[in-house]
């Protein structure tokens, strides 16, 4: 029999996203063959809805068909697909499930890529006020669309998730081109002022 092992895995998701997961492995002790009580973390995980956040780079093959590949490195213009997968470990149906997906700075949300979409998803800028996309704001008394690179979060009202049920939400974002600030120009030297004198 193997002793209980607790393994903590850090998923590096790039651009400020990451999820730490603790996985319970084993569960039986060699001493007298008795079952080891789960650690508080393991016990809590078995009674919760767990979420796993992953990212993949969207590329096209020679035939133009989209494929998802590992996003070990990204560059400006790359399209990333984020997926948050929710698994119900509570042993009973969960109601009122809400899924959140952050959009870090440096990424521009790609419109209408949130799935499931339609009436389930709302979006927000850094102010945290969620509404249906596209977002709009009032500037000088006129309504104008909020640029997609200002979207910072998506939220889905998923409702019910049955015991042992699994559901996922996805969205895509493009890595923005970072434009370095223009160097501060040195103050222009003014030409000497010529004053015309008139004879008295």
């Amino acid at each position: 029999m193997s002793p209980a092992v607790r393994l903590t895995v850090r998923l590096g998701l790039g651009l400020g996203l990451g999820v730490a997961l603790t996985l319970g492995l084993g569960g039986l002790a060699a001493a007298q063959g008795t079952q080891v009580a789960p650690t508080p973390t393991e016990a809590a995980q078995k009674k919760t809805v767990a979420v796993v956040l992953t990212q993949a780079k969207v590329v096209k093959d020679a035939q133009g068909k989209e494929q998802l590949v590992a996003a070990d490195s990204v560059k400006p213009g790359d399209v990333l697909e984020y997926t948050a997968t929710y698994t119900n470990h509570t042993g009973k149906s969960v109601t009122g499930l809400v899924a959140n997906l952050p959009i870090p700075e440096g990424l521009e949300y790609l419109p209408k890529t949130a799935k499931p979409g339609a009436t389930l998803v709302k979006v927000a800028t850094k102010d945290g006020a969620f509404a249906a996309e596209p977002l709009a704001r009032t500037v000088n008394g006129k309504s104008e669309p909020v640029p997609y690179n200002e979207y910072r979060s998506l939220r889905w009202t998923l409702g019910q998730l049955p015991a042992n049920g699994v559901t996922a939400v996805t969205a895509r974002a493009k890595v923005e081109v970072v434009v370095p600030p223009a160097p501060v120009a040195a103050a222009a030297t003014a030409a000497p002022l010529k004053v015309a004198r008139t004879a008295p």
Side-chain angles (χ1 to χ4, degrees), residues 19-40:
V19 175
L21 301 175
T22 302
L23 307 174
L25 303 177
L28 295 177
Q32 302 172 356
T34 58
Q35 192 162 2
V36 174
T39 65

Side-chain angles (χ1 to χ4, degrees), residues 127-183:
D127 69 4
F130 285 90
E133 69 172 289
L135 295 176
R137 63 182 166 208
T138 303
V139 177
N140 297 326
K142 294 183 180 179
S143 181
E144 67 177 31
V146 174
Y148 287 104
N149 67 352
E150 293 183 24
Y151 288 36
R152 289 292 154 252
S153 189
L154 295 107
R155 177 173 289 168
W156 289 260
T157 303
L158 299 175
Q160 188 170 346
L161 185 60
N164 303 312
V166 178
T167 190
V169 294
T170 65
R172 290 183 176 185
K174 183 170 64 173
V175 180
E176 293 183 293
V177 175
V178 178
V179 179

